[in-house]
């Protein structure tokens, strides 16, 4: 039986080696406006290509809760010209295990995660579709058709992560932080630190194909800020295992300079001025 005082065994196993196993869905990439994208990438990270990547997947067997659906938008960046990896702009979750996934990601690793109103992922023979809804808007509407990629050269960037039946490593960059309330009642970001989480993924199914995609925005989710200039391709994939096994602490960064990059992906605008937001219950 649960207790408000956890056992030593529970403390030992709390978010231990979080894994998103039996992960299946659509991965995609599209070209966007380079100038806009560069403005969204904080130093010391550097943009590698004017490409938005993402996925919509069903997390079938997470180790920290029930199954759920997850959608992500990320870009490929480098750090000091040596480390390369993903920089997620926002992840949305939906389903029975969504709250656990949000907690594990946002509180456990600084990942910009929020809850969606609805995520749907469907496959029918050689085609699949996915939609993501939040705050009355369809933020993402995409489809995949098995066959040729829109632009075959895009696979060069993902060949290592999607090699069949061979464990591959992938890194992602996040910013850990604390929130501290001052004497005047205002909250400020403090102790901001750039970290890199390291993942081991085992893909046992990868089916490339063409991508059709539309994006839109809400006041809290500016997907439309990243216009689709050219769909590059998509793939239906399955990760048998996907484990976050290590976090590297890279460097401390100026909290005031980082604050503008930390709000939108993690929180809605209601935290800025609740009185300006009308909620209907």
């Amino acid at each position: 039986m649960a207790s408000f005082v956890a056992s030593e065994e529970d403390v030992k196993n709390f978010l231990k080696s979080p894994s998103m196993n039996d992960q299946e869905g659509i991965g995609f990439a599209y070209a966007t406006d380079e100038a806009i994208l560069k403005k969204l990438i904080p130093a010391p990270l550097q943009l590698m290509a004017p490409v938005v990547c993402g996925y919509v997947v069903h997390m079938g067997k997470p180790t920290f809760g029930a199954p759920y659906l997850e959608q992500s938008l990320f870009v490929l960046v480098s750090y000091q010209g040596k480390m390369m990896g993903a920089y997620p702009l926002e992840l949305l979750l939906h389903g029975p295990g969504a709250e656990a996934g949000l907690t594990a990601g946002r509180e456990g690793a600084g990942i910009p995660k929020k809850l969606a109103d609805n995520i749907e992922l469907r496959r029918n023979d050689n085609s699949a579709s996915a939609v993501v809804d939040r705050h009355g808007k369809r933020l993402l509407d995409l489809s995949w058709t098995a066959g040729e990629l829109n632009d075959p050269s895009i696979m060069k960037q993902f060949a290592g992560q999607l090699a069949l039946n061979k464990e591959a490593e992938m890194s992602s960059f996040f910013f850990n932080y604390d929130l501290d309330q001052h004497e005047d009642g205002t909250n400020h970001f403090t102790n901001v630190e750039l970290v890199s989480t390291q993942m081991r993924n085992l893909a046992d199914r990868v089916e490339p194909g063409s991508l059709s995609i539309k994006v839109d925005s809400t006041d809290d989710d500016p997907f439309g800020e990243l216009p689709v200039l050219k769909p590059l391709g998509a793939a239906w994939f399955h990760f048998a295992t996907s484990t976050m096994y290590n976090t590297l602490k890279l460097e401390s960064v100026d909290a005031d300079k980082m604050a503008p990059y930390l709000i939108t992906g993690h929180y809605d605008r209601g935290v800025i001025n609740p009185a300006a937001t009308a909620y209907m219950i």
Side-chain angles (χ1 to χ4, degrees):
M1 179 177 290
S3 169
F4 285 111
V5 178
S7 68
E8 291 184 9
E9 187 69 17
D10 285 348
V11 171
K12 185 194 307 183
N13 291 318
F14 178 71
L15 285 181
K16 180 180 180 181
S17 299
S19 299
M20 290 72 71
N21 304 323
D22 188 21
Q23 179 182 154
E24 186 169 28
I26 305 170
F28 61 87
Y30 69 86
T32 195
D33 187 296
E34 183 172 10
I36 292 175
L37 200 52
K38 281 185 175 179
K39 293 179 181 179
L40 307 182
I41 310 302
L45 301 176
Q46 293 184 315
L47 180 67
M48 294 181 60
V51 174
V52 175
C53 305
Y55 59 73
V56 181
V57 297
H58 179 256
M59 299 290 189
K61 296 178 180 177
T63 59
F64 42 79
Y68 62 95
L69 289 149
E70 181 172 281
Q71 171 268 325
S72 172
L73 288 182
F74 65 90
V75 295
L76 297 177
V77 298
S78 65
Y79 171 67
Q80 294 186 344
K82 297 178 288 186
M83 294 182 65
M84 295 178 291
Y87 174 65
L89 296 168
E90 183 171 342
L91 292 87
L92 294 177
L93 291 71
H94 175 69
E99 185 178 2
L102 183 148
T103 301
R106 192 167 70 184
E107 276 64 65
I111 303 174
K113 289 190 174 187
K114 298 194 288 189
L115 298 179
D117 293 342
N118 181 54
I119 299 178
E120 296 178 11
L121 174 66
R122 293 188 174 92
R123 173 159 184 174
N124 183 13
D125 295 328
N126 292 320
S127 64
S129 62
V131 296
V132 179
D133 301 325
R134 195 166 195 265
H135 296 179
K137 285 285 189 72
R138 180 140 292 176
L139 294 174
L140 186 68
D141 188 341
L142 64 88
S143 62
W144 160 87
T145 303
E148 291 292 323
L149 295 163
N150 306 69
D151 184 346
S153 66
I154 191 65
M155 280 303 290
K156 295 177 182 178
Q157 298 187 43
F158 299 98
Q161 285 77 41
L162 297 177
L164 277 174
N165 300 313
K166 183 179 179 182
E167 194 169 65
E169 296 205 5
M170 181 177 179
S171 297
S172 296
F173 296 100
F174 304 107
F175 290 88
N176 278 336
Y177 59 87
D178 294 323
L179 285 172
D180 183 34
Q181 189 174 36
H182 292 194
E183 291 182 358
D184 63 358
T186 59
N187 279 275
H188 296 265
F189 293 98
T190 63
N191 301 323
V192 182
E193 184 177 34
L194 174 63
V195 300
S196 174
T197 61
Q198 298 176 301
M199 303 282 298
R200 289 194 181 104
N201 302 320
L202 178 61
D204 57 10
R205 188 177 186 182
V206 178
E207 300 175 61
S210 62
L211 169 70
S212 175
I213 183 171
K214 297 178 182 179
V215 294
D216 201 352
S217 298
T218 72
D219 289 343
D220 295 313
D221 313 286
F223 286 27
E225 188 176 15
L226 301 167
V228 179
L229 301 185
K230 177 186 176 182
L232 299 176
W236 182 274
F237 70 94
H238 179 264
F239 284 163
T241 58
S242 180
T243 303
M244 185 184 296
Y245 71 92
N246 189 34
T247 297
L248 299 174
K249 297 182 178 181
L250 300 177
E251 65 175 86
S252 297
V253 297
D254 186 281
D256 291 336
K257 291 181 179 179
M258 270 304 304
Y261 300 92
L262 295 175
I263 294 175
T264 303
H266 296 84
Y267 311 102
D268 285 350
R269 293 189 62 79
V271 302
I272 298 174
N273 183 6
T277 305
Y279 292 96
M280 294 189 67
I281 300 175

